[in-house]
């Protein structure tokens, strides 16, 4: 299946000169969405993944479906102030300032084998912060999977090894 045919290019969004890769047509097509998730987890199917962690918001879509397919639990990694229980916080740099993500302090167990998922790998800062949260709780990061990667931003250099991406732009 040609997943790229389900991605709509929106020029000059959110600012002039940017081409936004809109995945909502893929999300609306059951076969394409299922195929995309299968491709995202393909290298990790036999890796004994115990939990899938994903960054909000679109990462939740792929992460929860991946967790279900892998028979694993799901961990939401959210923006600051969105989780109801005691959290572990990670601050990371953006192009213009800082951002904060959080996970519950009991999100991962020591030695637990996890897969981290998000929709797009751009600069890598958000996922690198998610990795630090998981590592601080002594989880074992088996892999990181993305639907799309913006290769020209070289975000993979910010991440540990075993990064898998389905589509490259």
């Amino acid at each position: 299946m040609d997943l790229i045919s389900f991605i709509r290019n929106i020029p000059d969004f959110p600012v002039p000169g940017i081409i936004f890769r809109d995945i909502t047509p893929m999300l609306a097509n059951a076969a394409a969405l299922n195929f995309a998730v299968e491709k995202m987890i393909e290298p990790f199917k036999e890796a004994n993944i115990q939990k899938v962690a994903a960054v909000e918001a679109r990462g939740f879509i792929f992460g929860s479906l991946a967790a279900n397919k892998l028979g694993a639990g799901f961990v939401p990694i959210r923006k600051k102030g969105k989780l109801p229980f005691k959290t572990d916080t990670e601050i990371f740099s953006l192009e213009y300032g800082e951002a904060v993500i959080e996970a519950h302090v009991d999100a991962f167990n020591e030695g637990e084998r996890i897969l981290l998922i998000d929709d797009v790998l751009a600069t890598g800062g958000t996922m690198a912060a998610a990795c630090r949260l998981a590592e601080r709780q002594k989880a074992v990061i088996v892999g990181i999977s993305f639907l799309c990667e913006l290769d020209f931003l070289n975000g993979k250099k910010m991440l540990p090894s075993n990064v898998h991406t389905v589509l490259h732009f």
Side-chain angles (χ1 to χ4, degrees), residues 22-45:
D22 179 15
I23 64 170
T24 56
M26 180 188 321
L27 299 176
N29 184 291
L33 178 58
N34 185 61
F35 185 75
V37 174
E38 285 291 333
K39 287 298 186 184
M40 289 177 77
I41 65 170
E42 193 170 68
F44 309 105
K45 281 187 172 180

Side-chain angles (χ1 to χ4, degrees), residues 12 42 114 116 122 157:
D12 299 322
E42 193 170 68
I114 68 164
L116 288 147
K157 72 177 184 215

Side-chain angles (χ1 to χ4, degrees), residues 59-130:
F60 286 4
I61 298 164
F62 297 102
S64 59
L65 292 171
N68 182 266
K69 287 180 178 286
L70 292 168
F74 176 74
V75 173
I77 298 176
R78 305 223 43 202
K79 294 174 184 162
K80 185 173 177 62
K82 300 291 185 179
L83 291 170
F85 185 62
K86 186 177 177 185
T87 58
D88 187 11
T89 300
E90 185 65 34
I91 300 169
F92 62 101
S93 296
L94 297 171
E95 189 174 349
Y96 300 103
E98 292 182 332
V100 180
I101 57 172
E102 297 179 321
H104 283 142
V105 294
D106 60 355
F108 305 104
N109 297 310
E110 184 172 344
E112 199 162 45
R113 298 173 59 79
I114 68 164
L115 174 64
L116 288 147
I117 286 186
D118 206 355
D119 64 326
V120 176
L121 172 57
T123 63
T126 303
M127 186 55 76

